[in-house]
């Protein structure tokens, strides 16, 4: 529910998804050559991006319809697959040409960057005219993925070197342990840093104090964030009959956040005062809706 758990699940999902990608790669990749490396990268990128996209969807967009959630996860899968294949191919080609281990790490860095981008790609596409908040999330995920790929690449290279020294006379292709642990290390670090950058660099968020799934913390990443009990609500408050299908919106405009009632929906209080039209929000404001739902708005202090 908390941001700490969000980061934890991103890291956990990243590690396990990367291992699943490694298993898939061994099942479909040819015996050797550059094509094998590209398929390994594609498998990692596809499964890892899908996993992280799914965590992000379930955590931050739980109110979305099944179709929208599937579109979000599949978009992440497609971008991750392309990113993994391109990163693996570029890194291997440059390494074969120069023999420099730096390009091995560069391949993982590029893969991590595009996997990070995959998490927010759907939001940028679906954002409409005001893409600013979605682009900010994309940049954060890019930074996290790039950092995770770079650090994970260094760790994977170290594991490969260590195993080759222990089992002298065998190259990395003959040893499953270094590649499997390398995949897990890269996946875990990409997941960890993609989640961590979003939390550390967040600008505004809400916490569900009362109502459906209390304790949830949600980062505001859209120009218009809907609150209601409809399936497609950005902040879903199911089970409260006093909440309309779309009850209110949190609007980001001009660097400020506002609470705006949706249509004729009533029963909205800000710090126990009735909401009358669009009202600017301040960090710490308590928003009450319906009969038993309450949200706490928070915002980082601006310099």
């Amino acid at each position: 529910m908390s941001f700490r758990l969000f980061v934890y699940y991103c890291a956990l999902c990243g590690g396990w998804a990367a291992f699943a990608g490694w298993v898939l790669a061994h099942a479909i990749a040819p015996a050797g050559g550059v094509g094998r490396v590209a398929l390994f990268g594609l498998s990692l990128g596809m499964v890892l991006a899908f996993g992280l996209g799914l965590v992000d969807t379930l955590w931050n967009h739980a109110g979305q319809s099944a179709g929208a959630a599937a579109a979000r996860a599949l978009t992440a899968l497609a971008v991750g697959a392309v990113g993994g294949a391109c990163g693996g191919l570029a890194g291997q080609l440059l390494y074969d040409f120069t023999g420099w281990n730096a390009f091995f790490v560069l391949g993982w860095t590029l893969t991590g960057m595009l996997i990070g981008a995959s998490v927010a790609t759907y939001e940028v596409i679906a954002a409409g005219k005001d893409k600013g908040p979605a682009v900010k999330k994309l940049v954060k995920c890019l930074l996290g993925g790039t950092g995770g790929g770079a650090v994970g690449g260094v760790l994977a290279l170290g594991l490969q070197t260590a195993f080759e020294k222990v089992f002298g006379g065998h190259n990395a292709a003959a040893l499953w342990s270094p590649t499997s642990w390398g995949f897990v290390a890269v996946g875990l670090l990409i997941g960890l840093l993609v989640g961590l950058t979003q939390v550390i660099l967040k600008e505004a968020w809400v916490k569900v104090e009362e109502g459906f799934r209390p304790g949830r913390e949600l980062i505001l990443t859209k120009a218009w964030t809907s609150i209601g009990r409809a399936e497609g609500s950005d902040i879903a408050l199911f089970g409260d009959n006093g909440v309309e299908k779309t009850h209110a919106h949190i609007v980001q405009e001009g660097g400020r956040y506002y609470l705006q009632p949706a249509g004729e929906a009533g029963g909205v209080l800000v710090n126990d005062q009735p909401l009358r039209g669009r009202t600017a929000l301040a960090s710490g404001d308590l928003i009450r809706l319906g009969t038993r739902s309450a949200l706490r708005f928070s915002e980082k202090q601006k310099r």
Side-chain angles (χ1 to χ4, degrees):
M1 293 295 185
S2 66
F3 288 137
R4 289 183 180 180
L5 278 178
F6 172 65
V7 174
Y8 167 76
Y9 282 118
C10 283
L12 186 67
C13 177
W16 278 107
F19 181 72
W22 177 85
V23 173
L24 176 63
H26 270 283
I28 65 174
V34 174
R36 175 182 175 84
V37 175
L39 282 174
F40 263 74
L42 182 145
S43 299
L44 172 73
M46 180 173 64
V47 180
L48 180 52
F50 179 80
L52 293 178
L54 193 60
V55 171
D56 186 71
T57 298
L58 294 174
W59 198 276
N60 294 313
H61 310 281
Q64 285 198 337
S65 65
R72 184 182 293 275
L74 289 173
T75 299
L77 183 149
V79 175
V82 173
C86 291
L89 188 61
Q92 187 63 41
L93 287 173
L94 289 168
Y95 174 77
D96 288 344
F97 182 73
T98 63
W100 296 349
N101 284 331
F103 287 115
F104 176 90
V105 177
L106 178 64
W108 283 122
T109 303
L110 179 59
T111 297
M113 180 181 73
L114 294 174
I115 289 173
S118 72
V119 175
T121 299
Y122 180 84
E123 286 185 47
V124 174
I125 295 172
K129 292 182 179 180
D130 191 353
K131 296 184 182 294
V135 170
K136 287 181 179 179
K137 178 176 178 177
L138 177 67
V139 172
K140 295 168 191 173
C141 292
L142 275 169
L143 290 172
T146 302
V151 177
V154 171
L155 186 54
L157 178 62
L159 287 168
Q160 177 179 309
T161 303
F163 271 86
E164 287 178 348
K165 286 183 178 179
V166 172
F167 299 97
H170 297 279
N171 60 32
L175 299 172
W176 282 14
S177 295
T179 55
S180 63
W181 281 109
F183 263 50
V184 171
V186 170
L188 187 149
L189 284 163
I190 290 174
L192 173 67
L193 290 180
V194 165
L196 197 58
T197 52
Q198 291 185 73
V199 171
I200 291 175
L201 300 178
K202 65 185 183 297
E203 296 179 0
W205 62 99
V206 295
K207 181 177 180 179
V208 180
E209 299 282 0
E210 301 172 25
F212 178 67
R213 288 171 58 191
R216 280 184 297 157
E217 293 179 299
L218 303 165
I219 301 172
L220 299 175
T221 61
K222 297 177 67 175
W224 284 71
T225 300
S226 61
I227 306 170
R229 59 181 176 85
E231 188 176 289
S233 300
D234 297 309
I235 302 175
L237 298 173
F238 302 135
D240 187 341
N241 292 329
V243 174
E244 301 293 334
K245 289 185 177 180
T246 301
H247 203 101
H249 293 92
I250 296 177
V251 183
Q252 182 180 355
E253 187 176 288
R256 295 290 306 275
Y257 290 86
Y258 302 87
L259 184 64
Q260 179 171 312
E264 298 299 320
V268 182
L269 302 175
V270 179
N271 299 326
D272 295 323
Q273 298 298 315
L275 178 68
R276 303 185 187 283
R278 179 182 287 198
T279 301
L281 289 170
S283 188
D285 281 351
L286 183 66
I287 304 166
R288 293 193 178 276
L289 309 94
T291 58
R292 54 185 180 86
S293 299
L295 308 171
R296 179 78 63 183
F297 172 81
S298 297
E299 183 180 12
K300 276 193 175 176
Q301 186 176 358
K302 293 181 174 65
R303 294 182 179 179

